[in-house]
Amino acid sequence: MTNSKMNPKVDAFLSRATQWYEEYEKLRNIVLDCELTEEFKWMHPCYTFQNKNIVLIHGFKEYCALLFHKGALLQDANGILIQQTENVQAARQIRFTDVQEIVEMETIVKAYIYEAIEVEKVGLEVNFKKNTEFNIPEEFQNKFDEMPALKTAFEALTPGRQRAYILYFSEPKQSKTRESRVEKCMQQILGGKGLND
């Protein structure tokens, strides 16, 4: 089946898929039935409505999934949306482990896709937590107190960059590991750079 809406980059992605090939094909057909535009972003098939990202197809070792970019705003009447990690604020996944599961859930999946399109049509936005709601680790706060310039530089970063640093500094269980992470990143922060810049 060739469909004028199919993106050659997605064809290439599918031709390389060793795992989840059938599942990807089925998900692709379901999504294309919903009149979305097929694009290829972040190395994955991504489907948009009026240039807004609606859903992305991706796979992991244990499952493949449809990722709804604003899944947090969906009603989730069937209770099937999964938040990948607690720090993911907007996106939600519907996970599958075999093609049969996708076939059985087709109607539900389409309902979720149409709802996601409605979310875009009416312009709903996810209310992201403010960075003030993320706890700044003590080791980082101590550095702020010692070096006001560090605090100023940090506050000048974009909210996304601030959040990346806070999460990165908060991860380790041990205080000395947290402290060494802060030490390592100080120059970057002072230079106005994000964690991954």
Side-chain angles (χ1 to χ4, degrees), residues 14 17 19 25 141 161 169 178 196:
L14 290 173
Q19 196 185 7
E25 278 285 332
Q141 189 56 57
R161 288 189 169 123
F169 295 154
R178 289 195 296 268
N196 304 310

Side-chain angles (χ1 to χ4, degrees), residues 102-127:
I102 300 171
V103 171
E104 286 163 14
M105 285 177 68
E106 181 164 349
T107 325
I108 294 172
V109 169
K110 282 185 173 171
Y112 276 65
I113 294 170
Y114 287 125
E115 188 189 344
I117 295 170
E118 282 309 308
V119 161
E120 281 308 336
K121 280 185 182 167
V122 297
L124 294 182
E125 290 298 333
V126 174
N127 286 322

